[in-house]
Amino acid sequence: MPSALPDGEPVPDDGALPASALAGAADRPLGFYLHVPYCATRCGYCDFNTYTATELRGTGGVLASRDNYAETLVDEVRLARKVLGDDPRPVRTVFVGGGTPTLLDAGDLVRMLAAVRDEFGLAEDAEVTTEANPESVDPEYLAALREGGFNRISFGMQSARQHVLKVLDRTHTPGRPEACVAEARAAGFEHVNLDLIYGTPGESDDDWRASLDAVIGAGPDHVSAYALIVEEGTQLARRIRRGEVPMTDDDVHADRYLIADEVLSGAGFEWYEVSNWATSPAGRCLHNELYWRGADWWGA
């Protein structure tokens, strides 16, 4: 017996979307989230759907390969076209996240984007973003992404302090994210984001201010600052439970958030969404806004 939606409408057996999901769709923007689950190493705080090379190897060999991942994802985009039928909407935003998408060849990411363009078309002013770790790109790679249609990139910086990065199990060196911003600008990227995390065990207010100052000095037009959430099952949670590192107090998180808003606002960034600041409306992450405003999106 087929399962049912909350309103009692049966879920179609053929994978098609129920009529209720398509009602009014023509009036809503459409976006795509493309997930790349691979990571070189697992960060101690991360509970996302990500896998290192050893985690993708079973007794029979490799369970999932980076070599053919793009091909598999392209098949899912083609499936989306079949499911959505003659939906006429061009795609407004594409966000490639992970994991570390830039562990794939730049050509693979471009091919994934091309599948969305070929099957649905991209809006004339479409925002096309990929996440990247600072150590996984170089100027040649960034140039290939930009030439292939990406116009926004988000680097995981997290902190400017080495001892904070160590607690988070981040492998890049301080200063590399800032260099990546310059390289992305040189490659022609119009919009660049740096991600920060506050509230890491052992981080001080001075550490946090140093990270904010480093971000501002790098010159991105967007900053995301997230409070560290210690998720059960992660390496960081186990370290805290064993007493190896202290748990950060919620009041400290609140203070760091206020510091972020003070420093970023003073540098010309405008707060526009819970954890995000941009230097102008054009610098805002449209894909995030698509989620918050209840638009339509397809995850592959």
Side-chain angles (χ1 to χ4, degrees):
M1 180 177 180
S3 58
L5 298 168
D7 61 1
E9 185 178 6
V11 176
D13 292 329
D14 62 358
L17 290 177
S20 59
L22 296 172
D27 298 324
R28 297 189 297 268
L30 175 64
F32 263 77
Y33 173 75
L34 309 180
H35 189 65
V36 179
Y38 304 105
C39 284
T41 61
R42 179 175 294 280
C43 297
Y45 61 90
C46 181
D47 74 334
F48 292 168
N49 180 28
T50 61
Y51 305 91
T52 64
T54 56
E55 291 170 330
L56 288 171
R57 189 172 296 278
T59 55
V62 176
L63 301 176
S65 171
R66 281 160 42 180
D67 295 335
N68 62 11
Y69 188 79
E71 179 181 345
T72 302
L73 191 139
V74 166
D75 286 342
E76 289 206 24
V77 173
R78 291 171 179 157
L79 171 65
R81 176 75 279 175
K82 291 180 181 178
V83 171
L84 292 174
D86 59 358
D87 189 323
R89 292 174 292 174
V91 173
R92 181 69 183 84
T93 66
V94 179
F95 195 102
V96 185
T100 306
T102 45
L103 285 181
L104 297 185
D105 289 341
D108 284 343
L109 299 189
V110 170
R111 186 149 57 100
M112 289 155 49
L113 173 61
V116 176
R117 181 189 298 111
D118 293 345
E119 295 294 336
F120 290 87
L122 294 176
E124 184 176 349
D125 58 348
E127 175 191 270
V128 182
T129 305
T130 186
E131 295 180 329
N133 274 346
E135 71 277 9
S136 64
V137 297
D138 57 26
E140 181 180 3
Y141 190 103
L142 294 169
L145 289 181
R146 185 65 191 94
E147 184 178 353
F150 286 83
N151 53 32
R152 186 175 184 275
I153 192 162
S154 177
F155 294 108
M157 177 177 178
Q158 320 314 356
S159 176
R161 298 294 204 197
Q162 181 65 57
H163 72 94
V164 176
L165 293 173
K166 184 176 181 180
V167 173
L168 295 173
D169 294 316
R170 298 292 292 181
T171 57
H172 67 264
T173 57
R176 177 58 193 154
E178 297 94 309
C180 285
V181 175
E183 291 173 5
R185 294 293 194 199
F189 276 89
E190 302 154 41
H191 302 296
V192 182
N193 171 66
L194 286 176
D195 273 350
L196 290 174
I197 289 178
Y198 58 87
T200 300
E203 178 191 63
S204 67
D205 283 353
D206 286 344
D207 292 331
W208 179 230
R209 288 184 179 275
S211 294
L212 292 167
D213 289 343
V215 163
I216 292 167
D221 65 337
H222 191 282
V223 176
S224 297
Y226 302 106
L228 178 66
I229 298 175
V230 181
E231 302 285 2
E232 284 302 316
T234 62
Q235 178 63 24
L236 181 58
R238 290 189 287 271
R239 293 187 65 195
I240 290 173
R241 189 163 52 248
R242 292 193 297 263
E244 296 175 10
V245 292
M247 182 64 184
T248 304
D249 186 89
D250 287 345
D251 288 338
V252 173
H253 278 167
D255 289 343
R256 301 271 164 79
Y257 186 84
L258 294 175
I259 290 172
D261 192 49
E262 172 196 356
V263 172
L264 292 171
S265 296
F269 287 82
E270 180 184 10
W271 175 89
Y272 74 95
E273 185 266 324
V274 180
S275 301
N276 294 296
W277 290 258
T279 56
S280 70
R284 295 179 178 182
C285 181
L286 297 179
H287 191 78
N288 278 355
E289 291 187 322
L290 180 146
Y291 291 146
W292 293 119
R293 293 177 177 175
D296 289 345
W297 61 279
W298 188 285

